[in-house]
């Protein structure tokens, strides 16, 4: 090899150095991704809400109709379908709550990541290189 390992290391570090342009590009990409997640989340919220309202309405109607008919043996298939629909609605509601938490955590994580990038850009180049060497040798 014609180049020393330290020179190659410095070149690699210079390539990964956060520049203002890279940071701005990353911010735009992150914001676009979060906007897409928000739109999908809102769509999911409406769909889940509609499914849950339909499931509870159908279950209520099925139980009321079965109760008013005063049958000794009610129509089991309708009640089974109503319970299945209600369970599906509950599962979708739980999935929605999990996705909401996931999106909130992702937003916070990306905000923290942007703060780290800003702090890295404020640090002088010399202290970053020396700090990395100290951590490696310890």
């Amino acid at each position: 090899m014609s180049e020393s390992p330290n020179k190659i290391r410095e070149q690699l570090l210079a390539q990964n150095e956060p520049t203002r342009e890279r940071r701005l590009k990353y911010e735009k990409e992150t914001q676009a991704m979060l906007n897409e997640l928000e739109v999908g989340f809102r769509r999911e919220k409406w769909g889940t809400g509609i499914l849950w309202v339909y499931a509870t309405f159908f279950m209520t109607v099925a139980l009321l109709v079965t109760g008013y008919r005063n049958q000794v043996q009610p129509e089991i298939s309708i009640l089974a379908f109503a319970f299945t629909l209600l369970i599906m609605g509950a599962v979708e509601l739980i999935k929605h709550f999990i996705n909401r938490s996931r999106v909130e955590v992702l937003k916070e994580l990306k905000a923290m990541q942007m703060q780290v990038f800003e702090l890295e850009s404020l640090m002088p180049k010399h202290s970053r290189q020396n700090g990395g060497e100290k951590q490696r040798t310890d």
Side-chain angles (χ1 to χ4, degrees):
M1 294 188 125
S2 62
E3 296 184 34
S4 69
N6 285 337
K7 189 173 182 180
I8 294 173
R9 180 179 174 275
E10 289 173 11
Q11 289 174 349
L12 288 173
L13 284 174
Q15 285 178 349
N16 287 334
E17 191 172 307
T19 62
R20 181 169 171 76
E21 294 82 25
R22 285 185 186 172
R23 193 176 47 136
L24 290 175
K25 181 181 175 188
Y26 183 76
E27 284 179 19
K28 287 179 185 177
E29 290 173 356
T30 302
Q31 192 60 40
M33 179 191 66
L34 290 175
N35 288 341
E36 282 182 29
L37 283 174
E38 280 293 322
V39 168
F41 180 68
R42 274 188 246 121
R43 210 174 291 136
E44 178 186 346
K45 182 179 179 179
W46 277 97
T48 302
I50 290 170
L51 177 64
W52 181 248
V53 168
Y54 176 73
T56 54
F57 178 74
F58 188 80
M59 183 69 180
T60 304
V61 169
L63 288 174
L64 286 174
V65 167
T66 303
Y68 281 129
R69 288 171 118 188
N70 266 340
Q71 292 180 346
V72 176
Q73 292 185 348
E75 189 66 37
I76 299 297
S77 61
I78 292 177
L79 290 177
F81 178 70
F83 276 112
T84 303
L85 190 63
L86 191 65
I87 290 171
M88 279 178 34
V91 167
E92 289 299 318
L93 200 59
I94 290 170
K95 278 175 33 180
H96 170 70
F97 290 143
I98 290 171
N99 283 339
R100 181 179 66 185
S101 299
R102 183 182 61 87
V103 168
E104 289 174 2
V105 167
L106 186 63
K107 277 183 181 179
E108 291 177 17
L109 181 66
K110 291 298 179 181
M112 286 176 56
Q113 193 174 27
M114 297 311 299
Q115 289 176 353
V116 168
F117 283 154
E118 287 177 22
L119 289 174
E120 281 181 350
S121 67
L122 293 176
M123 286 176 52
K125 182 178 177 182
H126 181 69
S127 67
R128 274 187 287 190
Q129 289 177 349
N130 288 342
E133 290 174 7
K134 287 180 185 175
Q135 288 176 354
R136 244 183 46 192
T137 57
D138 287 342

